[in-house]
């Protein structure tokens, strides 16, 4: 189905009451061009760890999609930008990145945010204290 404006109409008859129902709605359909998935090498990180992440972009047929412009932000639990990569380009539907976490990095849920002209994706990851 192509993106565009469509009209949805229906007619129905209640066989018991013989009452007729009909209505029409204007719809706008926007075909989904692609999806972005975020993968990290671990589920939980400790202070001082190296965060490795891979972003995958696939089109509506699940084939690799080359995103030509995106911004990748990593935010600490208090929403401070720790890393911001502007104009990031996906090659063969993939982007790889790393971030060396500080030994004094705040504990809690961090956020990887990917913004493109068409899509915004958020991913939470946990940094917790090392238990000795």
């Amino acid at each position: 189905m192509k993106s565009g404006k469509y009209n949805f109409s229906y007619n129905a008859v209640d066989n018991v009451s013989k009452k007729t129902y009909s209505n029409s709605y204007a719809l706008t359909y926007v075909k989904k061009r692609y999806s972005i998935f975020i993968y990290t090498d671990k589920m939980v990180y400790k202070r001082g760890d190296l965060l490795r992440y891979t972003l995958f972009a696939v089109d509506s047929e699940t084939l690799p999609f080359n995103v030509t412009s995106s911004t990748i932000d990593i935010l600490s639990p208090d929403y401070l930008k720790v890393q911001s990569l502007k104009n990031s380009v996906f090659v063969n539907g993939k982007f790889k990145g790393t971030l060396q976490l500080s030994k004094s990095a705040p504990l809690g849920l961090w956020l990887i945010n990917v913004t493109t002209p068409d899509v915004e994706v958020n991913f939470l990851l946990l940094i917790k204290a090392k238990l000795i």
Side-chain angles (χ1 to χ4, degrees), residues 70-86 99-101 106 109-115 120 122:
S70 66
T71 300
I72 302 162
D73 294 319
I74 300 180
L75 291 88
S76 66
D78 48 2
Y79 295 102
L80 295 175
K81 283 186 187 177
V82 175
Q83 184 180 69
S84 185
L85 304 172
K86 301 200 183 303
L99 173 66
Q100 181 66 54
L101 298 171
L109 290 175
W110 286 53
L111 179 71
I112 298 176
N113 183 38
V114 182
T115 307
E120 182 170 343
N122 295 302

Side-chain angles (χ1 to χ4, degrees), residues 27-97:
L27 302 173
T28 302
Y29 173 72
V30 179
K31 183 176 180 180
K32 185 174 184 177
R33 291 186 50 215
Y34 60 92
S35 297
I36 296 177
F37 300 95
I38 301 172
Y39 169 80
T40 58
D41 63 329
K42 296 192 231 179
M43 291 178 61
V44 178
Y45 292 87
K46 298 182 298 252
R47 292 173 168 161
D49 280 353
L50 179 65
L51 165 63
R52 292 182 182 93
Y53 58 94
T54 305
L55 311 175
F56 297 96
V58 294
D59 65 14
S60 59
E61 312 268 320
T62 65
L63 297 172
F65 184 85
N66 291 327
V67 177
T68 55
S69 177
S70 66
T71 300
I72 302 162
D73 294 319
I74 300 180
L75 291 88
S76 66
D78 48 2
Y79 295 102
L80 295 175
K81 283 186 187 177
V82 175
Q83 184 180 69
S84 185
L85 304 172
K86 301 200 183 303
N87 299 315
S88 304
V89 176
F90 288 56
V91 177
N92 295 323
K94 193 179 341 180
F95 179 90
K96 289 187 173 195

